Amino acid sequence: QVQLVESGGGLVQPGGSLRLSCAASGSIFGINAMGWYRQAPGKERELVATISSGGSTNYADSVKGRFTISRDNAKNTVYLQMNSLKLEDTAVYYCNADIHIIGKWDTLDAWGQGTLVTVSS
C-alpha cells in the first residue's frame, strides 16, 4: 500500500506565495518521476511541473519563472514553491509519482487526494 499526502494549500492574495508538499509513504522501493498537476473549476487536469529522480525539471509555460519544483529523495517528498501567484492559478493541485513497490515488477502511478489553492483578493 502506497499513499501520497499533500499539504500546504490555502487562500492567498495575488502576488503572494505558497509552498506545497507531497510525501509518499508505504512499501516503497524507489520513486522515478514526481510531479504536480492542477485542475481548475470546469477545466481538465493539466501538468504544472515534473522532476525526475535525478533532478531534471519540466514546467508548464504558464508557471515558468514563478514556480519551482524540488524533491527530497531521502524523505520521498516533492515540493512546489509557488511565487507571484495569479488569479488563474486557482485550482486543486494534485501530486503524482511513479513508484517502485517492494516485491513488484511494475511501477505504480500514484496520485494524492489534492489540495486546494485559491488566489483571491
mmCIF file of all heavy atoms in Angstrom, residues 1-4 24-29 31 99-102 108 110-111:
data_model
loop_
_atom_site.group_PDB
_atom_site.id
_atom_site.type_symbol
_atom_site.label_atom_id
_atom_site.label_comp_id
_atom_site.label_asym_id
_atom_site.label_seq_id
_atom_site.Cartn_x
_atom_site.Cartn_y
_atom_site.Cartn_z
ATOM 1 N N GLN A 1 0.846 -1.185 0.000
ATOM 2 C CA GLN A 1 0.000 0.000 0.000
ATOM 3 C C GLN A 1 0.887 1.243 0.000
ATOM 4 O O GLN A 1 1.825 1.341 0.770
ATOM 5 C CB GLN A 1 -0.904 0.004 1.243
ATOM 6 C CG GLN A 1 -1.932 1.099 1.271
ATOM 7 C CD GLN A 1 -3.126 0.790 0.383
ATOM 8 O OE1 GLN A 1 -3.222 -0.298 -0.178
ATOM 9 N NE2 GLN A 1 -4.022 1.753 0.272
ATOM 10 N N VAL A 2 0.584 2.153 -0.911
ATOM 11 C CA VAL A 2 1.337 3.405 -1.025
ATOM 12 C C VAL A 2 0.365 4.563 -0.940
ATOM 13 O O VAL A 2 -0.741 4.504 -1.476
ATOM 14 C CB VAL A 2 2.118 3.455 -2.356
ATOM 15 C CG1 VAL A 2 2.707 4.840 -2.574
ATOM 16 C CG2 VAL A 2 3.219 2.404 -2.369
ATOM 17 N N GLN A 3 0.793 5.600 -0.289
ATOM 18 C CA GLN A 3 -0.058 6.766 -0.118
ATOM 19 C C GLN A 3 0.735 8.035 -0.404
ATOM 20 O O GLN A 3 1.903 8.151 -0.031
ATOM 21 C CB GLN A 3 -0.587 6.809 1.321
ATOM 22 C CG GLN A 3 -1.739 7.731 1.543
ATOM 23 C CD GLN A 3 -2.309 7.587 2.955
ATOM 24 O OE1 GLN A 3 -1.662 7.080 3.853
ATOM 25 N NE2 GLN A 3 -3.540 8.036 3.136
ATOM 26 N N LEU A 4 0.088 8.987 -1.094
ATOM 27 C CA LEU A 4 0.652 10.322 -1.297
ATOM 28 C C LEU A 4 -0.232 11.304 -0.537
ATOM 29 O O LEU A 4 -1.440 11.333 -0.749
ATOM 30 C CB LEU A 4 0.679 10.696 -2.774
ATOM 31 C CG LEU A 4 1.545 9.856 -3.720
ATOM 32 C CD1 LEU A 4 1.452 10.407 -5.130
ATOM 33 C CD2 LEU A 4 2.984 9.840 -3.245
ATOM 34 N N ALA A 24 5.296 10.716 0.084
ATOM 35 C CA ALA A 24 4.913 9.350 -0.255
ATOM 36 C C ALA A 24 5.312 8.426 0.881
ATOM 37 O O ALA A 24 6.394 8.561 1.449
ATOM 38 C CB ALA A 24 5.594 8.909 -1.542
ATOM 39 N N SER A 25 4.429 7.482 1.188
ATOM 40 C CA SER A 25 4.712 6.528 2.264
ATOM 41 C C SER A 25 4.170 5.160 1.884
ATOM 42 O O SER A 25 3.297 5.042 1.023
ATOM 43 C CB SER A 25 4.096 6.999 3.583
ATOM 44 O OG SER A 25 2.691 7.088 3.467
ATOM 45 N N GLY A 26 4.690 4.133 2.543
ATOM 46 C CA GLY A 26 4.247 2.777 2.273
ATOM 47 C C GLY A 26 5.397 1.892 1.846
ATOM 48 O O GLY A 26 6.555 2.166 2.136
ATOM 49 N N SER A 27 5.065 0.849 1.106
ATOM 50 C CA SER A 27 6.047 -0.151 0.684
ATOM 51 C C SER A 27 6.793 0.321 -0.567
ATOM 52 O O SER A 27 6.633 -0.215 -1.657
ATOM 53 C CB SER A 27 5.349 -1.480 0.414
ATOM 54 O OG SER A 27 4.681 -1.933 1.572
ATOM 55 N N ILE A 28 7.647 1.317 -0.374
ATOM 56 C CA ILE A 28 8.328 1.983 -1.486
ATOM 57 C C ILE A 28 9.755 1.492 -1.614
ATOM 58 O O ILE A 28 10.542 1.604 -0.673
ATOM 59 C CB ILE A 28 8.308 3.509 -1.287
ATOM 60 C CG1 ILE A 28 6.868 4.022 -1.266
ATOM 61 C CG2 ILE A 28 9.112 4.198 -2.399
ATOM 62 C CD1 ILE A 28 6.734 5.478 -0.882
ATOM 63 N N PHE A 29 10.084 0.982 -2.810
ATOM 64 C CA PHE A 29 11.469 0.614 -3.108
ATOM 65 C C PHE A 29 12.214 1.811 -3.662
ATOM 66 O O PHE A 29 13.376 2.035 -3.358
ATOM 67 C CB PHE A 29 11.505 -0.548 -4.093
ATOM 68 C CG PHE A 29 12.887 -0.990 -4.460
ATOM 69 C CD1 PHE A 29 13.638 -1.766 -3.590
ATOM 70 C CD2 PHE A 29 13.453 -0.612 -5.675
ATOM 71 C CE1 PHE A 29 14.926 -2.163 -3.908
ATOM 72 C CE2 PHE A 29 14.739 -1.008 -6.006
ATOM 73 C CZ PHE A 29 15.468 -1.788 -5.126
ATOM 74 N N ILE A 31 11.399 5.787 -6.189
ATOM 75 C CA ILE A 31 10.468 6.645 -6.913
ATOM 76 C C ILE A 31 11.140 7.228 -8.138
ATOM 77 O O ILE A 31 12.231 7.800 -8.030
ATOM 78 C CB ILE A 31 9.929 7.777 -6.023
ATOM 79 C CG1 ILE A 31 9.269 7.206 -4.772
ATOM 80 C CG2 ILE A 31 8.922 8.629 -6.804
ATOM 81 C CD1 ILE A 31 8.730 8.270 -3.817
ATOM 82 N N ILE A 99 6.065 5.030 -8.797
ATOM 83 C CA ILE A 99 6.676 4.402 -7.634
ATOM 84 C C ILE A 99 6.964 2.918 -7.853
ATOM 85 O O ILE A 99 6.087 2.170 -8.306
ATOM 86 C CB ILE A 99 5.767 4.565 -6.400
ATOM 87 C CG1 ILE A 99 5.547 6.055 -6.103
ATOM 88 C CG2 ILE A 99 6.345 3.846 -5.194
ATOM 89 C CD1 ILE A 99 4.585 6.329 -4.984
ATOM 90 N N HIS A 100 8.173 2.517 -7.518
ATOM 91 C CA HIS A 100 8.520 1.108 -7.478
ATOM 92 C C HIS A 100 8.070 0.548 -6.125
ATOM 93 O O HIS A 100 8.540 0.999 -5.079
ATOM 94 C CB HIS A 100 10.027 0.916 -7.626
ATOM 95 C CG HIS A 100 10.542 1.147 -9.010
ATOM 96 N ND1 HIS A 100 10.465 0.202 -10.016
ATOM 97 C CD2 HIS A 100 11.130 2.232 -9.561
ATOM 98 C CE1 HIS A 100 10.991 0.693 -11.118
ATOM 99 N NE2 HIS A 100 11.404 1.916 -10.871
ATOM 100 N N ILE A 101 7.178 -0.432 -6.171
ATOM 101 C CA ILE A 101 6.677 -1.052 -4.954
ATOM 102 C C ILE A 101 7.549 -2.242 -4.601
ATOM 103 O O ILE A 101 7.931 -3.030 -5.474
ATOM 104 C CB ILE A 101 5.230 -1.534 -5.136
ATOM 105 C CG1 ILE A 101 4.350 -0.409 -5.680
ATOM 106 C CG2 ILE A 101 4.681 -2.100 -3.832
ATOM 107 C CD1 ILE A 101 4.227 0.761 -4.752
ATOM 108 N N ILE A 102 7.851 -2.379 -3.320
ATOM 109 C CA ILE A 102 8.648 -3.511 -2.850
ATOM 110 C C ILE A 102 7.958 -4.824 -3.215
ATOM 111 O O ILE A 102 6.779 -5.018 -2.942
ATOM 112 C CB ILE A 102 8.853 -3.422 -1.330
ATOM 113 C CG1 ILE A 102 9.707 -2.204 -0.982
ATOM 114 C CG2 ILE A 102 9.497 -4.709 -0.793
ATOM 115 C CD1 ILE A 102 9.833 -1.955 0.494
ATOM 116 N N LEU A 108 3.881 1.826 -9.878
ATOM 117 C CA LEU A 108 2.541 2.333 -9.578
ATOM 118 C C LEU A 108 2.461 3.814 -9.913
ATOM 119 O O LEU A 108 3.296 4.599 -9.452
ATOM 120 C CB LEU A 108 2.222 2.124 -8.103
ATOM 121 C CG LEU A 108 0.908 2.739 -7.595
ATOM 122 C CD1 LEU A 108 -0.269 2.035 -8.234
ATOM 123 C CD2 LEU A 108 0.837 2.687 -6.085
ATOM 124 N N ALA A 110 0.893 6.724 -8.878
ATOM 125 C CA ALA A 110 0.148 7.106 -7.679
ATOM 126 C C ALA A 110 -0.244 8.580 -7.710
ATOM 127 O O ALA A 110 0.512 9.425 -8.201
ATOM 128 C CB ALA A 110 0.986 6.816 -6.441
ATOM 129 N N TRP A 111 -1.404 8.871 -7.141
ATOM 130 C CA TRP A 111 -1.924 10.242 -7.061
ATOM 131 C C TRP A 111 -2.307 10.573 -5.634
ATOM 132 O O TRP A 111 -2.796 9.717 -4.894
ATOM 133 C CB TRP A 111 -3.151 10.405 -7.951
ATOM 134 C CG TRP A 111 -2.843 10.352 -9.411
ATOM 135 C CD1 TRP A 111 -2.781 9.245 -10.199
ATOM 136 C CD2 TRP A 111 -2.543 11.471 -10.261
ATOM 137 N NE1 TRP A 111 -2.458 9.604 -11.480
ATOM 138 C CE2 TRP A 111 -2.306 10.967 -11.552
ATOM 139 C CE3 TRP A 111 -2.444 12.855 -10.055
ATOM 140 C CZ2 TRP A 111 -1.985 11.782 -12.635
ATOM 141 C CZ3 TRP A 111 -2.137 13.668 -11.134
ATOM 142 C CH2 TRP A 111 -1.907 13.136 -12.401
#
